[in-house]
Amino acid sequence: MAKKIVVLGGGESGVGAALLAQAKGYDVFLSDKSELGEAYRNQLLEHGIPFEEKQHTETRIFEADEVIKSPGIPDHIPLIKSLREKQIPVIGEIEFAARFTKARLIAITGSNGKTTTTLLTYHLLKTAGLNVGLAGNIGDSFAKQVITDSFDYYVLEISSFMLDSMVEFKLILPF
């Protein structure tokens, strides 16, 4: 039986994570407390990924072997606390996607200048002729890009909210 993955949040990172989980053979369900954007809803329908919007059905969510949480969902809400009490792992899209890529990852974080530094790093690598992707808080979902895993490098803009959902994710130095 396939491992059950529940994705919380149906925006760019959540839908990307759901698509990657499905591509890797997981039993996937996506739940969003808000209404999904039309483009995201259509992607889920097109790929036959079950989802709910405008609610979180806890009984279904608690069946998960692992939960992938969108960065905009705070750790302190009752649902996340309950998942942790039930010892259901809760991770973010970046950590989940990193499991499935052989590319080198360059993660940029901090208080100021993340986007500029990320774009500059991406531009320099691309101009140098390297096969590089751009993801994280910028560009397309990292998880969605990892489905094809066609890049040798990814430059990732990582917010503090994304860092909160990283448990085992590590970058290997030196570059």
Side-chain angles (χ1 to χ4, degrees):
M1 180 178 275
K3 186 175 183 181
K4 290 184 180 182
I5 295 285
V6 169
V7 178
L8 296 178
E12 183 68 23
S13 70
V15 171
L19 292 169
L20 176 60
Q22 181 190 56
K24 296 302 179 182
Y26 292 96
D27 178 7
V28 184
F29 175 69
L30 184 140
S31 178
D32 195 311
K33 191 88 169 172
S34 300
E35 185 172 343
L36 297 175
E38 184 177 348
Y40 296 129
R41 185 182 307 109
N42 289 340
Q43 286 179 59
L44 295 168
L45 289 168
E46 179 184 324
H47 288 89
I49 296 173
F51 66 92
E52 66 181 354
E53 54 187 323
K54 300 181 190 173
Q55 65 180 347
H56 285 314
T57 305
E58 289 187 359
T59 53
R60 184 129 189 220
I61 293 168
F62 293 152
E63 293 174 352
D65 294 307
E66 187 169 46
V67 171
I68 302 167
K69 175 181 81 71
S70 292
I73 299 173
D75 285 337
H76 62 75
I77 65 169
L79 176 59
I80 302 303
K81 287 181 177 181
S82 294
L83 285 163
R84 294 211 163 106
E85 286 169 8
K86 293 177 182 301
Q87 298 184 343
I88 299 170
V90 178
I91 63 169
E93 174 225 2
I94 301 294
E95 178 154 341
F96 181 69
R99 295 176 183 171
F100 301 104
T101 184
K102 292 182 178 157
R104 290 199 169 219
L105 305 178
I106 301 161
I108 298 167
T109 190
S111 299
N112 296 309
K114 290 186 299 293
T115 301
T116 301
T117 304
T118 302
L119 289 170
L120 178 60
T121 303
Y122 171 76
H123 173 75
L124 291 171
L125 293 174
K126 190 124 180 110
T127 301
L130 297 175
N131 182 25
V132 60
L134 179 67
N137 244 11
I138 191 167
D140 293 330
S141 159
F142 178 44
K144 190 173 181 182
Q145 293 182 57
V146 168
I147 293 169
T148 58
D149 204 22
S150 57
F151 294 112
D152 299 319
Y153 299 87
Y154 286 97
V155 181
L156 305 171
E157 180 183 336
I158 306 292
S159 71
S160 60
F161 299 112
M162 292 171 157
L163 289 173
D164 288 342
S165 299
M166 292 182 184
V167 180
E168 296 179 11
F169 177 83
K170 293 179 179 46
L171 294 168
I172 300 170
L173 301 173
F175 180 73

